[in-house]
């Protein structure tokens, strides 16, 4: 089942005008990130799908000890390409790579491979982003877990792994 965030991103990706598509995708992602953590500030850059420059910057002005995160939107869901991108990104930036489609489902039973060379990076797809809980949906443990993924999550999350994680079945 496709969630509303994933569906909205998919519809925005079908926009024939590239500039409009970039704007719509960024707006959808930024809106969802703000709903997940109203204390976060999301700044959109002028770039899109660029390897070395983030598409968005996520910061927590009310929590000065929480370092910012750079978010890189990716139009590919190819695992090799995404892993290659992760190798090139500075670990200190705690990068978040968001595949705008779905990561391959060849990984069953939650056996997601570790990210090569980057213990601070988070790789997730649009369906995983949509599965993370906004603050206004369900205050409580799922929201706290979702917020913690934004602040310091690392590894690879697809929809199945995210839902399992939110149910408390993954140890992080």
């Amino acid at each position: 089942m496709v969630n509303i965030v994933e569906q909205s991103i998919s519809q925005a990706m079908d926009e024939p005008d590239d500039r409009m598509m970039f704007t719509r995708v960024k707006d959808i992602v930024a809106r969802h990130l703000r709903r997940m953590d109203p204390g976060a500030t999301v700044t959109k850059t002028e770039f899109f799908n660029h390897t070395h420059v983030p598409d968005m910057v996520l910061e927590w002005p009310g929590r000065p000890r929480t370092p910012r995160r750079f978010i890189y939107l990716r139009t590919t869901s190819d695992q090799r390409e995404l892993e290659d991108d992760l190798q090139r990104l500075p670990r200190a930036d705690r990068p978040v790579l968001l595949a705008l489609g779905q990561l391959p489902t060849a990984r069953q039973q939650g056996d997601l491979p570790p990210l090569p060379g980057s213990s601070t990076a988070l790789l997730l797809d649009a369906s995983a982003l949509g599965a993370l809980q906004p603050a206004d949906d369900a205050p409580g443990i799922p929201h706290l877990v979702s917020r913690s993924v934004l602040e310091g999550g690392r590894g690879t999350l697809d929809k199945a792994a995210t839902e399992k994680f939110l149910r408390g079945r993954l140890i992080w």
Side-chain angles (χ1 to χ4, degrees), residues 24-44:
R24 287 182 59 200
V25 168
K26 283 185 170 186
D27 287 346
I28 292 162
V29 172
R31 188 169 38 254
H32 189 66
L33 293 173
R34 286 186 197 107
R35 286 186 62 216
M36 286 174 60
D37 188 349
T41 300
V42 181
T43 304
K44 296 179 267 183

Side-chain angles (χ1 to χ4, degrees), residues 138-155:
I141 299 300
H143 168 250
L144 291 175
V145 170
S146 295
R147 195 175 93 187
S148 73
V149 168
L150 276 187
E151 288 182 11
R154 59 183 189 248

Side-chain angles (χ1 to χ4, degrees), residues 52-67:
H52 301 289
V53 182
D55 298 290
M56 299 178 185
V57 179
L58 194 56
E59 298 176 285
W60 292 268
R63 291 175 276 196
R65 291 187 156 182
T66 303

Side-chain angles (χ1 to χ4, degrees), residues 95-147:
V96 176
L97 243 66
L98 174 60
L100 297 173
Q102 285 189 344
L103 293 172
T105 57
R107 300 178 307 268
Q108 299 300 324
Q109 305 152 359
D111 294 330
L112 301 175
L115 296 177
S118 183
S119 63
T120 62
L122 174 63
L123 170 60
L124 68 155
D125 62 14
S127 61
L129 178 68
L132 293 169
Q133 301 290 310
D136 54 354
D137 277 4
I141 299 300
H143 168 250
L144 291 175
V145 170
S146 295
R147 195 175 93 187

Side-chain angles (χ1 to χ4, degrees), residues 153-169:
R154 59 183 189 248
T156 303
L157 290 174
D158 60 8
K159 184 177 182 180
T162 302
E163 289 173 348
K164 194 174 186 181
F165 184 61
L166 290 172
R167 288 192 306 267
R169 294 191 181 150

